[in-house]
């Protein structure tokens, strides 16, 4: 009889404890690798550098994942529909980087449907705010008439970006944020946006599956490259004037 597969338990008092190899992750549920630990900045940065991310509900222990295949969006190949291209060219918005991390996370944490919960609990939001303060969490925000209407946030290490969540309160706002994030990344020689787990929505935007071993090989190279300058956002309205006509 085969030995049962056992998950690796992480000691919450030892943030320097190594993660197991992603190759030891479960197939069902796909990618579940370890349980426990903490969400300290040091542990989170090490996890992302190794192709691992936390994902759990607020009433669960911390769960760590590395699925195979990994869903990624090549930044130079985002699919832009005719409606999205029109929305981008309309330029009735401003794009800002890293000005409202708490507001972006709060909006991402809001239930999508009445009565639904959220995986982005207070513990996670505090952890990513600490990453922001350390310079590793980034936001791309869509503002209209002084109001935050959409955005995306994630973790940036070197020339790698790990998307965490996005939101929209008006049509196309999250897609506009993703569009300008991909434009920025492509211009900064950042070829890969990690989307973690696939969905029909992500596939419609150009996301695709990548074998975990290939993903981790790319990550190990990209996280060690010099990071770009995230302090100046793209001038979206001016740049939009030069997009091809729909």
């Amino acid at each position: 009889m085969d030995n049962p597969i056992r998950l690796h338990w992480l000691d919450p008092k030892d943030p320097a404890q190594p993660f197991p190899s992603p190759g030891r992750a479960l197939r069902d549920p796909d990618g579940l690798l370890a349980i426990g630990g903490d969400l300290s900045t040091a542990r989170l940065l090490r996890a992302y550098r190794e192709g691992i991310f936390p994902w759990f509900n607020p009433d669960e222990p911390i769960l760590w994942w590395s699925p195979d295949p990994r869903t990624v969006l090549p930044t130079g190949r985002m699919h832009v529909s005719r409606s999205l291209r029109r929305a981008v060219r309309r330029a009735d918005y401003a794009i800002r980087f890293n000005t409202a991390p708490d507001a972006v996370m709060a909006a991402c944490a809001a239930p999508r449907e009445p009565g639904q919960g959220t995986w982005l609990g207070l513990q996670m939001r505090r952890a990513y705010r600490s990453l922001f303060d350390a310079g590793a969490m980034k936001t791309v925000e869509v503002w209209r008439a002084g109001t935050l209407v959409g955005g995306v946030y994630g973790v940036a290490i070197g020339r790698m970006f790990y998307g965490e969540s996005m939101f929209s309160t008006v049509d196309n706002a999250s897609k506009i944020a993703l569009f300008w994030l991909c434009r920025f990344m492509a211009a900064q020689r950042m070829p890969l946006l990690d989307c973690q787990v696939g969905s029909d929505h992500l596939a419609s935007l150009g996301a695709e599956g990548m074998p975990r071993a290939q993903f981790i090989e790319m990550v190990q190279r990209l996280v060690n490259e010099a990071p770009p300058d995230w302090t100046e956002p793209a001038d979206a309205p001016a740049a939009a004037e030069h997009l091809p006509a729909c």
Side-chain angles (χ1 to χ4, degrees):
M1 182 175 180
D2 292 339
N3 291 327
I5 297 175
R6 297 183 183 276
L7 285 175
H8 191 85
W9 283 85
L10 298 174
D11 183 353
K13 297 180 180 179
D14 182 11
Q17 180 183 7
F19 284 95
S21 167
R24 295 180 58 188
L26 300 184
R27 292 185 178 274
D28 185 18
D30 179 29
L32 182 57
L33 178 65
I35 299 178
D38 65 352
L39 296 176
S40 64
T41 296
R43 195 188 300 264
L44 283 171
L45 290 176
R46 187 168 63 258
Y48 282 105
R49 282 180 168 273
E50 297 177 16
I52 302 164
F53 60 89
W55 184 28
F56 61 99
N57 292 319
D59 57 348
E60 296 176 341
I62 300 172
L63 304 177
W64 301 89
W65 303 78
S66 185
D68 186 16
R70 188 69 162 246
T71 300
V72 299
L73 178 58
T75 57
R77 301 205 303 270
M78 178 182 173
H79 175 67
V80 182
S81 66
R82 291 173 63 86
S83 61
L84 176 56
R85 190 171 294 273
R86 286 195 295 269
V88 169
R89 286 175 56 85
R90 197 171 298 125
D92 58 347
Y93 58 88
I95 293 291
R96 299 177 187 167
F97 285 5
N98 309 319
T99 68
D102 297 322
V104 170
M105 285 192 290
C108 288
R112 299 298 192 261
E113 299 291 341
Q116 287 187 349
T118 177
W119 62 269
L120 187 54
L122 184 59
Q123 183 184 15
M124 288 280 275
R125 286 155 62 183
R126 286 174 173 169
Y128 285 96
R129 176 65 207 217
S130 293
L131 281 178
F132 180 84
D133 293 338
M137 190 270 255
K138 307 295 182 184
T139 64
V140 178
E141 307 146 14
V142 182
W143 295 79
R144 182 178 290 167
T147 300
L148 179 66
V149 296
V152 58
Y153 84 92
V155 177
I157 305 175
R159 292 191 183 268
M160 184 66 204
F161 187 85
Y162 307 85
E164 281 296 322
S165 189
M166 57 186 181
F167 82 96
S168 180
T169 62
V170 300
D171 289 345
N172 288 314
S174 60
K175 294 180 182 178
I176 290 173
L178 191 64
F179 173 88
W180 289 110
L181 173 60
C182 285
R183 292 269 294 199
F184 170 83
M185 290 178 62
Q188 297 291 337
R189 305 190 316 279
M190 301 176 70
L192 209 61
L193 195 163
D194 176 34
C195 301
Q196 300 177 347
V197 179
S199 68
D200 291 342
H201 175 65
L202 289 170
S204 73
L205 295 171
E208 58 191 41
M210 176 180 287
R212 180 171 55 211
Q214 180 183 354
F215 172 78
I216 291 175
E217 181 180 357
M218 289 191 67
V219 162
Q220 289 174 343
R221 173 175 60 84
L222 292 170
V223 297
N224 289 307
E225 294 187 2
D229 182 1
W230 286 87
T231 59
E232 293 296 332
D235 186 353
E241 295 177 359
H242 302 289
L243 292 176
C246 299

